[in-house]
Amino acid sequence: MSSTSSTTLALPSTVKLLLTSIDSADAAPASLTSIDRLHYVTSAVLGYAVKAGWVSSNPAAGVKLPASQKAEQIYLNFEEVESLADAAEAAGTQSDRALVLLLAYSGLRINEALALTVADVDITTRRVSVRRTWTIDAAGARKLGMPKTGERRVVPLVSFIVEELKPLLDGRTDDEYVFRAQSGQAVHDHNWRPRVWAKAVAGRASTRWV
């Protein structure tokens, strides 16, 4: 008496879920970032499936992804920077004007500038010490850390930037922040962007800025 037997390959639930979601995926266009992430996850899962002997090959390997296109870099001239700084002051205060000018002419990142204390600014030598930056930790809390480069640096300032900063330093102690909220704490960029920056850009920017 002869008998026949068949073997059914049982795919793990993770692979089944992935394949099902791909099969029933919405056909709406996805961004390049979403495509990259989906390909990475798909290839990783199928690669593991190949090693485990669940599938014979990884069809995601070697797939040519759409080339990403970098956004055009736009550089403002002196008049445009001045106009933007004026608009920032109109939306906020003189402190906001000084912040825009500092960012434009020093190369500091926004959270490096917002982490500056009075002690970091040397009016006499026209230098600013970039020692810290605001970051977000794993729990989503804001904290001070090293600059993005991992190194402290000293940045020279042009004379008119120093004049803009002087009113923010006069009568302040060394440990006070240069750019302060009404509470006396450092300005938070998540609040500053919609409160001042977005309004300044919308009010003064030409179409090539946005």
Side-chain angles (χ1 to χ4, degrees), residues 8-209:
T8 301
L9 180 63
L11 292 176
S13 58
T14 303
V15 178
K16 285 183 177 180
L17 178 61
L18 175 65
L19 296 178
T20 301
S21 64
I22 293 174
D23 184 61
S24 61
D26 192 339
S31 67
L32 294 178
T33 300
S34 296
I35 292 173
D36 285 342
R37 289 175 179 171
L38 178 59
H39 176 264
Y40 176 82
V41 173
T42 303
S43 184
V45 172
L46 292 176
Y48 182 85
V50 170
K51 291 181 180 179
W54 298 330
V55 294
S56 60
S57 64
N58 179 358
V63 172
K64 187 175 181 180
L65 300 176
S68 60
Q69 296 181 347
K70 294 184 178 180
E72 179 186 0
Q73 295 293 320
I74 297 176
Y75 301 94
L76 306 185
N77 59 38
F78 176 83
E79 290 78 12
E80 289 171 329
V81 171
E82 187 68 20
S83 176
L84 186 59
D86 288 342
E89 183 173 13
T93 66
Q94 186 274 333
S95 173
D96 299 303
R97 170 185 169 82
L99 177 56
V100 169
L101 292 174
L102 177 65
L103 295 175
Y105 291 106
S106 70
L108 268 66
R109 298 175 176 87
I110 177 66
N111 279 305
E112 291 176 338
L114 296 179
L116 293 175
T117 63
V118 173
D120 294 324
V121 183
D122 190 324
I123 295 296
T124 304
T125 62
R126 299 208 307 255
R127 297 286 189 274
V128 60
S129 298
V130 182
R131 302 180 296 114
R132 304 178 300 177
T133 188
W134 287 107
T135 62
I136 302 297
D137 64 19
R142 190 182 187 217
K143 69 173 186 177
L144 288 168
M146 289 291 291
K148 188 175 181 180
T149 58
E151 298 179 352
R152 299 176 180 179
R153 66 188 191 279
V154 176
V155 178
L157 300 175
V158 293
S159 58
F160 70 86
I161 298 296
V162 172
E163 294 303 315
E164 294 282 349
L165 292 176
K166 278 183 178 180
L168 308 180
L169 308 176
D170 291 344
R172 303 291 180 177
T173 59
D174 284 351
D175 60 347
E176 290 188 80
Y177 291 106
V178 175
F179 301 101
R180 297 175 296 277
Q182 291 184 350
S183 64
Q185 297 300 309
V187 169
H188 197 307
D189 70 304
H190 288 183
N191 296 330
W192 186 79
R193 292 177 193 273
R195 179 177 60 83
V196 175
W197 179 253
K199 293 177 182 178
V201 171
R204 290 285 181 166
S206 64
T207 54
R208 79 181 189 91
W209 295 18

